[in-house]
């Protein structure tokens, strides 16, 4: 999802957005107040390019055929991330350029949007086994043809779909992900979710395929999960066991729902980042929905969340430096510069750069690409390989929740929009969490995956904090004036009873399911 800058803080004011005649967005870095004719670097945001209109951008001399060609009724678009051909660089990137890139996400409040992403497990209805890639390919082609989506290809493999600002992509084990368009209201978000599920089911049911809304694969071992034909995943699969014991589980057996939200300035980003990190364990508890592994209870309410604690400590976690007085765009860049890289994308191939840093790349010191310097596309790609509980790109991603059934797909963005898009609620959250220590935040992060809302916190339990937070979320939604607070009903039930979705599943497992996980495929079927 690309959320584009219009206004903002001192950093944000250094960026100028220019629209071409076809509406495509070009960003010029004006950090040194250079005239446009002396601009240091420009790049085209491929995420906003589509050739389905058949038009070319004459003023930019871009040939649409370079990015995709029409086949029949659909468009074939290049695999994401885009090739380096989309970037025209006159001079080497500097750290200031990387900071300015993040700052380009600043937007006036009236331009704030909601972007929701959710993943789900596809399975054969008869055997409950995971969908094979061949079935996924058939499903993607079917959706493209029936509902007019453009196909995303990597070599000869279909790996996703694109339609406007929505995209469908595949996670490493075939988890089916919708990355939604940036939308104004939660009503639009929920309508988008419903439309997506209708389209997927319309094709999948004819194939005997169902989709499961849960945070961790409940029945099958890693050896049973198909591997998707995406080059970046091969590099990650080889690297993960070197840096943690659960990275392959993360890749192949987890599903999440997350929401991406805007900020107006550097100061606004900092406030939202801190509120999001402090409250992320509460979101993890409210949406905990992954209590089974290979057919049995795994001892966790959110196995998915626990997995991230031993995936790769260099690129995950609660980012305590976000709470430092010195934190801002530049400090996040410094952090990201030292996160080990996975790959660089060149000539439609992924080049393994594991263990090296973007700081090395910036200095032209990558052994895998000797003497070569990065582009802004490389930076954009690198930012997608960092996985903290809240992630900064040109927007903020709330990453702490398990995947779940459709009603909770609408509740997760409602929760965060009510807290972060309303100034009164946001300030109340910051006041509430101001004296939480780094040790307390880390304790919640570590314990919530196992004990959920029953996690002891100060003189009570996390459930008591969740009650106050939920009220702030409801109040924030009501002040927005769109009548969106009903989307929190699924969460209100969890807070009211103190029983997480995972605990409900465990009760069913130990009761009417007769200690079998198979019925969960029906219980949480989309």
């Amino acid at each position: 999802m690309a959320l584009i800058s219009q206004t903002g803080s001192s950093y944000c004011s250094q960026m100028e957005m220019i629209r071409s005649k076809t509406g495509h967005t070009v960003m010029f870095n004006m950090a040194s107040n250079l005239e446009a004719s002396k601009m240091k670097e420009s790049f085209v945001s491929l995420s906003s390019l589509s050739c389905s209109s058949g038009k070319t951008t004459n003023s930019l001399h871009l040939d649409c055929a370079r990015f995709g060609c029409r086949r029949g009724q659909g468009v074939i678009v290049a695999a994401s991330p885009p090739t380096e051909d989309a970037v025209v660089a006159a001079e080497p990137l500097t750290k200031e350029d990387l900071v300015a890139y993040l700052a380009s996400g600043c937007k006036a409040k009236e331009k704030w949007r909601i972007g929701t992403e959710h993943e789900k497990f596809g399975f054969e209805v008869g055997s409950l086994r995971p969908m094979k890639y061949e079935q996924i390919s058939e499903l993607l082609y079917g959706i493209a043809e029936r509902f007019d989506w453009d196909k995303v290809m990597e070599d000869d493999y279909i790996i996703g779909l694109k339609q406007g600002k929505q995209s469908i992509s595949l996670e490493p084990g075939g988890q089916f992900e919708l990355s939604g368009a940036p939308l104004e209201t939660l009503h639009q978000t929920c309508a988008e979710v419903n439309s997506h599920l209708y389209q997927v089911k319309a094709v999948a049911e004819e194939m005997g395929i169902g989709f499961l809304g849960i945070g961790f694969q409940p029945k099958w071992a890693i050896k049973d999960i198909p591997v998707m034909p995406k080059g970046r995943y091969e590099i990650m699969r080889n690297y993960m066991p070197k840096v943690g014991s659960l990275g392959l589980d993360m890749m192949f057996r987890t599903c999440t729902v997350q929401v991406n939200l805007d900020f107006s300035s550097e100061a606004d980003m900092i406030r939202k980042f801190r509120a999001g990190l402090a409250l992320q364990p509460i979101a993890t508890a409210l949406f905990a929905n992954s209590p089974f592994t290979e057919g049995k209870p795994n001892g966790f309410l959110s196995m998915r969340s626990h997995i991230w604690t031993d995936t790769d400590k260099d690129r995950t976690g609660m980012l305590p430096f976000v709470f430092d007085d010195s934190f801002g765009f530049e400090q996040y860049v410094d952090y990201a510069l030292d996160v080990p890289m996975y790959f660089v994308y060149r000539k439609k191939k992924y080049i393994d750069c594991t263990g090296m840093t973007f700081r090395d790349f910036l200095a032209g010191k990558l052994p895998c690409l000797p003497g070569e310097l990065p582009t802004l596309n490389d930076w954009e790609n690198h930012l997608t390989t960092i996985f903290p509980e809240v992630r900064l790109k040109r927007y903020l991603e709330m990453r702490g929740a398990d995947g779940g059934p459709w009603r909770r797909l609408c509740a997760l963005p409602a929760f965060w929009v009510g807290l972060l898009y309303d100034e009164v609620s946001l300030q109340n959250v910051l006041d509430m969490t101001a004296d939480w220590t780094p040790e307390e935040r880390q304790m919640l992060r570590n314990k919530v995956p196992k004990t959920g809302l029953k996690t002891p916190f100060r003189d009570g339990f996390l459930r008591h904090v969740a009650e106050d937070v939920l009220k702030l979320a409801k109040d924030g939604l009501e002040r927005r004036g769109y009548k969106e607070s009903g989307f929190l009903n699924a969460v209100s039930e969890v807070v009211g009873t103190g029983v997480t979705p995972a605990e409900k599943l465990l009760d069913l497992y130990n009761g009417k399911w007769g200690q079998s996980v198979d019925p969960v495929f029906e219980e949480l079927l989309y």
Side-chain angles (χ1 to χ4, degrees):
M1 186 187 75
L3 301 180
I4 304 300
S5 164
Q6 298 290 340
T7 65
S9 68
S10 57
Y11 275 125
C12 303
S13 63
Q14 295 168 357
M15 312 305 300
E16 182 173 322
M17 307 303 301
I18 298 177
R19 288 268 172 192
S20 71
K21 291 178 181 177
T22 59
H24 299 153
T25 304
V26 180
M27 184 176 80
F28 298 110
N29 181 354
M30 307 298 287
S32 302
N33 295 318
L34 297 176
E35 294 177 1
S37 62
K38 298 177 182 177
M39 77 184 76
K40 186 169 188 182
E41 178 159 349
S42 67
F43 73 95
V44 178
S45 172
L46 265 188
S47 60
S48 65
L49 281 179
S50 168
C51 303
S52 55
S53 65
K55 299 177 182 177
T56 56
T57 316
N58 295 326
S59 60
L60 297 175
H61 307 291
L62 293 179
D63 180 0
C64 195
R66 241 174 65 198
F67 302 108
C69 55
R70 183 170 290 281
R71 293 185 188 175
Q73 296 302 308
V75 170
I76 307 297
V77 298
S80 177
T83 68
E84 70 279 9
D85 295 340
V87 178
V88 181
E91 294 181 25
L93 284 181
T94 66
K95 179 178 153 184
E96 289 70 29
D97 295 321
L98 308 184
V99 172
Y101 171 84
L102 292 180
S104 73
C106 298
K107 289 178 149 182
K109 184 170 183 176
E110 61 269 17
K111 298 184 184 299
W112 290 356
R113 296 294 181 265
I114 306 161
T116 306
E117 303 181 23
H118 63 87
E119 302 162 357
K120 48 205 166 292
F121 293 106
F123 65 94
E124 298 173 350
V125 173
S127 67
L128 305 183
R129 297 191 70 85
M131 271 197 305
K132 303 179 186 71
Y133 173 72
E134 292 73 21
Q135 293 167 310
I136 292 171
S137 175
E138 182 183 345
L139 176 61
L140 289 171
Y141 275 109
I143 294 170
E145 290 160 13
R146 193 173 305 186
F147 299 105
D148 197 27
W149 288 71
D150 299 337
K151 305 175 190 73
V152 179
M153 309 295 293
E154 183 170 317
D155 297 325
D156 293 328
Y157 297 103
I158 185 168
I159 59 166
L161 301 172
K162 195 164 179 56
Q163 187 181 79
K165 294 183 179 180
Q166 297 181 82
S167 63
I168 295 172
S169 59
L170 302 178
E171 292 300 298
Q175 302 97 314
F176 216 71
E177 178 179 7
L178 173 72
S179 295
L183 301 170
E184 290 186 57
T185 73
L186 293 163
H187 299 286
Q188 293 170 346
T189 293
C190 213
E192 177 186 66
V193 168
N194 289 334
S195 172
H196 168 72
L197 293 176
Y198 166 78
Q199 292 182 12
V200 171
K201 287 169 64 177
V203 179
E205 285 177 354
E206 295 172 1
M207 299 170 55
I209 296 296
F211 281 92
L212 176 67
I214 199 167
F216 187 76
Q217 166 56 249
K219 185 175 175 70
W220 303 103
I222 284 182
K223 64 179 175 59
D224 301 309
I225 310 295
V227 179
M228 296 301 102
K230 295 177 71 169
R232 64 185 288 170
Y233 294 155
E234 183 177 355
I235 292 170
M236 291 171 66
R237 187 172 49 158
N238 293 333
Y239 181 68
M240 285 294 184
K242 301 174 184 176
V243 291
S245 67
L246 298 175
L248 295 181
D249 283 309
M250 180 278 290
M251 290 180 65
F252 292 102
R253 296 203 286 180
T254 62
C255 279
T256 188
V257 54
Q258 70 179 52
V259 64
N260 305 329
L261 299 173
D262 287 313
F263 42 80
S264 62
S265 65
E266 183 173 45
D268 187 43
M269 178 277 292
I270 294 167
R271 286 156 53 81
K272 287 172 175 168
F273 209 149
R274 289 173 177 168
L277 276 173
L279 297 187
Q280 210 61 221
I282 290 179
T284 299
L286 293 176
F287 292 85
N289 191 43
S290 47
F292 305 120
T293 298
E294 295 175 27
K296 295 183 174 61
N298 52 35
F300 292 89
L301 302 179
S302 177
M303 183 65 180
R304 183 206 61 82
S305 181
H306 170 67
I307 281 167
W308 281 110
T309 66
D310 194 9
T311 290
D312 182 347
K313 287 183 169 46
D314 287 330
R315 66 185 76 242
T316 60
M318 291 290 282
L319 305 188
F321 67 86
V322 171
F323 296 87
D324 293 346
D325 291 341
S326 61
F327 178 68
F329 290 124
E330 183 176 0
Q331 287 68 31
Y332 194 86
V333 167
D334 280 329
Y335 158 72
L337 281 173
D338 292 323
V339 171
M341 296 175 65
Y342 282 151
F343 60 80
V344 174
Y345 193 67
R346 290 290 183 273
K347 298 178 181 176
K348 300 185 179 180
K349 298 294 180 187
Y350 291 88
I351 299 169
D352 189 335
C353 297
T354 50
M356 307 162 208
T357 69
F358 209 92
R359 199 179 294 277
D360 296 330
F361 198 5
L362 210 57
K365 295 178 179 177
L366 281 193
C368 59
L369 286 171
E372 189 160 340
L373 295 172
T375 67
L376 276 172
N377 275 356
D378 295 322
W379 178 238
E380 188 172 32
N381 294 339
H382 178 57
L383 292 176
T384 69
T385 68
I386 302 172
F387 309 119
E389 292 296 287
V390 177
R391 178 163 67 185
L392 175 62
K393 296 190 200 169
R394 287 186 287 176
Y395 44 88
L396 285 166
E397 301 179 347
M398 304 295 123
R399 297 174 45 82
D402 285 1
W406 75 265
R407 62 187 176 277
R408 291 206 291 276
L409 299 182
C410 303
L412 189 276
F415 179 76
W416 287 114
V417 166
L419 293 171
L420 302 186
Y421 271 9
D422 176 75
E423 184 57 36
V424 176
S425 290
L426 175 56
Q427 186 58 51
N428 282 329
V429 168
L430 293 169
D431 292 342
M432 175 192 301
T433 60
D435 66 344
W436 292 12
T437 66
E439 293 76 19
E440 285 177 319
R441 292 193 298 267
Q442 190 60 48
M443 178 277 293
L444 291 175
R445 170 69 189 92
N446 292 342
K447 292 189 175 180
V448 158
K450 183 167 279 204
T451 51
L453 293 174
K454 297 179 178 67
T455 303
F457 186 68
R458 296 192 172 181
D459 57 354
F461 294 93
L462 194 62
R463 178 184 174 187
H464 303 135
V465 184
E467 289 171 347
D468 295 336
V469 171
L470 180 60
K471 185 176 188 314
L472 293 177
K474 282 184 175 177
D475 291 346
L477 290 180
E478 286 170 5
R479 280 189 290 268
R480 269 169 58 84
Y482 293 116
K483 298 183 178 179
E484 297 167 316
S485 57
F487 292 114
L488 288 173
N489 287 346
V491 178
S492 299
E493 180 187 346
V494 175
V495 173
T497 61
V499 178
T500 63
E503 288 165 302
K504 282 191 170 183
L505 295 178
L506 288 167
D507 287 343
L508 288 167
Y509 172 86
N510 289 312
K512 72 175 188 177
W513 292 357
Q515 298 193 331
S516 167
V517 299
D518 289 5
V520 80
F521 288 85
E522 181 67 31
E523 180 75 20
L524 297 182
L525 179 72
Y526 283 109

